[in-house]
Structures are given as structure tokens and as C-alpha cells.
């Protein structure tokens, strides 16, 4: 019996041609697929633009909150300069007191200014009952041993205050308040005047906004590799 190849020579030739055609067409099809899967230069430029816009928007949304801008706008450079004239002048201004409190929080010593404010409020008490209630609260919060916001007092001042608390009057905390005031005036106040928070206010800048923004922070290594090869065609 003759071979099928001899009986159907055309079938064999056609099959060979199809096989050869398939071999030729397959790489071409793969090349087109790969080409279609890779973004063009225009797509990469658009991606870069979106990355920059997204980063800028996120930073503006975080740094430019209305509350921050309103707070910065409420303090003029001229007003901030006056705070540097004396510690008393700083504490006499609400915005100055707020700024100093914010600074002390960065140093984890806000208990000092909170105690001073509590003492100022205590001296405004109008009844004996109010004096007793506030004196007890101040003593338990700031004076007694292991108080949650214990202030740094010398032994003598602490003992005098502990004795006075038994029969509180408007001057019960005067010695302790004076000690804490001097501590802040001699230690914390000079550092506040050198701080970025204060210097930015003097220069009229929002203390919560850095002078320069680095918009490239959101880039990853892969993002940069995707677009850098096309910089030369821009």
C-alpha cells in the first residue's frame, strides 16, 4: 500500500505551508501584543502628570486646612514680635498663650502652663464652695505625689502648698504658681523664641506649613523607572 504522503502530496505541502505560516505569524502576533501592552510616551507623560497632581493635592489638603490657615491669619507678625518683649506679655495675649502651649506640648511639658492657667482661674473663684472644689482638683491633678500632671516643685514649696490646701484661700497656690512661672520664663520661654513655630509667626508664615514642599515623595522606584526613559522626547 502506497504511503499517504504519496497519495495526497498536496495535503502534505499545504500542511507544511500552514506550519511555516504559523511559525512566521506567531512572533509577529506576540510582538503586536507586547507593543499594545506597553504604554506609549504620551501615556507615560500623562501618568507622570497625574502622579504630580495627586501628590500636590494630598499635601495641600493636609497642610492647608481651613482651621490652620484661619489660625495663622489671626496672628500678625507685629503681634508675634511683641511676644518677644517679655514672658508676661506673651501670656497676656490669648494667641500668645495658645502658641506657647502648643510649643510646650512638643516638649512634653504642657503641665506647667496648664497648672498656671488653673491657678489663674482659681483666683477668680467667687464663693468658698468654688474655692474648695477647685483647690481639691488642682492639688490632685498637679501637686500631690504621683499626680497625673505633677509639676516640678521644690520640697519647701510643695510642703507649704500641701498645708495651705487644708483651708484654701485665693492665695493658696501663689508660691507654687510663682515657682512654675519662673521655671517657664527662664527655661521654656527662651527656647520658644528660638523655635520654628515662633519664628514662622514673626515672618508671617503658617507654622503648620513647611517653607518648601517635596512633591516627589509619593514616587516609588518603579514609577520613576516607567517614565524616566521618555524624558528625552519631551
Amino acid at each position: 500500500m502506497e504511503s499517504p504522503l504519496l497519495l495526497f502530496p498536496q495535503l502534505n505541502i499545504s500542511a507544511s505551508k500552514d506550519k511555516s505560516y504559523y511559525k512566521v505569524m506567531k512572533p509577529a502576533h506576540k510582538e503586536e501584543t507586547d507593543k499594545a501592552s506597553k504604554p506609549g510616551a504620551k501615556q507615560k507623560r500623562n501618568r507622570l502628570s497625574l502622579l504630580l497632581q495627586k501628590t500636590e493635592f494630598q499635601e495641600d489638603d493636609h497642610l492647608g486646612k481651613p482651621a490652620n490657615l484661619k489660625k495663622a491669619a489671626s496672628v500678625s507678625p507685629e503681634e508675634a514680635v511683641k511676644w518677644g518683649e517679655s514672658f508676661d506679655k506673651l501670656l497676656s495675649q490669648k494667641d500668645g498663650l495658645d502658641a506657647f502651649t502648643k510649643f510646650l506640648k512638643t516638649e512634653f511639658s504642657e503641665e506647667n502652663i496648664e497648672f498656671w492657667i488653673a491657678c489663674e482661674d482659681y483666683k477668680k473663684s467667687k464663693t468658698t464652695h468654688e474655692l474648695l472644689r477647685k483647690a481639691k482638683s488642682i492639688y490632685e491633678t498637679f501637686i500631690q505625689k504621683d499626680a497625673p500632671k505633677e509639676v516640678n516643685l521644690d520640697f519647701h514649696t510643695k510642703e507649704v502648698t500641701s498645708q495651705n490646701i487644708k483651708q484654701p484661700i485665693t492665695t493658696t497656690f501663689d508660691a507654687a504658681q510663682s515657682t512654675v512661672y519662673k521655671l517657664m520664663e527662664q527655661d521654656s520661654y527662651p527656647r520658644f523664641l528660638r523655635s520654628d513655630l515662633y519664628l514662622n509667626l514673626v515672618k508671617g508664615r503658617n507654622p503648620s506649613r513647611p517653607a518648601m514642599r517635596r512633591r516627589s515623595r509619593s514616587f516609588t522606584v518603579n514609577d520613576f523607572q516607567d517614565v524616566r526613559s521618555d524624558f528625552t522626547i519631551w
Side-chain angles (χ1 to χ4, degrees), residues 13-213:
I13 293 172
S14 177
S16 300
K17 288 182 179 180
D18 289 344
K19 187 174 183 180
S20 299
Y21 176 77
Y22 175 75
K23 286 182 178 180
V24 173
M25 291 300 295
K26 185 176 180 180
H29 178 266
K30 184 176 185 300
E31 182 179 353
E32 290 178 0
T33 302
D34 292 343
K35 185 176 181 180
S37 64
K38 293 182 179 180
K42 184 176 181 180
Q43 289 176 308
K44 290 180 180 180
R45 289 196 297 271
N46 290 339
R47 183 179 180 186
L48 174 61
S49 177
L50 289 173
L51 282 170
L52 292 174
Q53 291 175 10
K54 180 180 179 182
T55 306
E56 183 174 3
F57 172 78
Q58 288 175 340
E59 291 183 351
D60 287 344
D61 182 60
H62 174 69
L63 299 172
K65 291 182 178 180
N68 288 336
L69 294 177
K70 183 178 180 181
K71 184 64 179 176
S74 67
V75 179
S76 67
E78 293 77 15
E79 181 182 0
V81 168
K82 291 180 181 179
W83 301 345
E85 295 177 2
S86 70
F87 186 49
D88 185 62
K89 184 164 290 188
L90 170 69
L91 298 187
S92 67
Q93 301 293 321
K94 183 182 183 303
D95 288 334
L97 181 60
D98 290 343
F100 186 63
T101 301
K102 182 177 180 181
F103 169 74
L104 290 184
K105 286 182 178 180
T106 67
E107 296 199 332
F108 304 99
S109 59
E110 65 270 22
E111 71 277 358
N112 291 325
I113 194 63
E114 289 177 4
F115 171 68
W116 184 87
I117 293 172
C119 289
E120 289 294 292
D121 178 68
Y122 170 79
K123 288 184 288 188
K124 297 175 183 177
S125 300
K126 297 179 179 179
T127 65
T128 302
H129 175 73
E130 191 176 4
L131 278 175
L132 289 171
R133 178 177 58 82
K134 291 183 178 181
K136 182 176 184 295
S137 176
I138 291 174
Y139 182 78
E140 292 178 349
T141 303
F142 300 102
I143 306 296
Q144 72 178 12
K145 185 179 179 181
D146 298 325
K149 297 183 179 182
E150 186 177 2
V151 292
N152 186 17
L153 298 174
D154 60 272
F155 176 79
H156 175 71
T157 302
K158 195 165 189 175
E159 282 297 308
V160 170
T161 305
S162 298
Q163 292 297 322
N164 292 341
I165 198 70
K166 296 176 182 179
Q167 293 182 333
I169 57 177
T170 56
T171 59
T172 294
F173 297 102
D174 280 5
Q177 184 183 17
S178 177
T179 298
V180 171
Y181 180 94
K182 290 177 181 178
L183 177 65
M184 293 189 294
E185 182 181 32
Q186 297 172 6
D187 185 46
S188 302
Y189 178 56
R191 288 201 304 276
F192 168 74
L193 296 180
R194 296 192 299 267
S195 69
D196 288 340
L197 186 153
Y198 175 70
L199 295 177
N200 282 334
L201 288 174
V202 171
K203 295 174 183 177
R205 292 204 297 259
N206 185 346
S208 65
R209 179 188 289 272
M212 297 182 63
R213 295 177 301 169

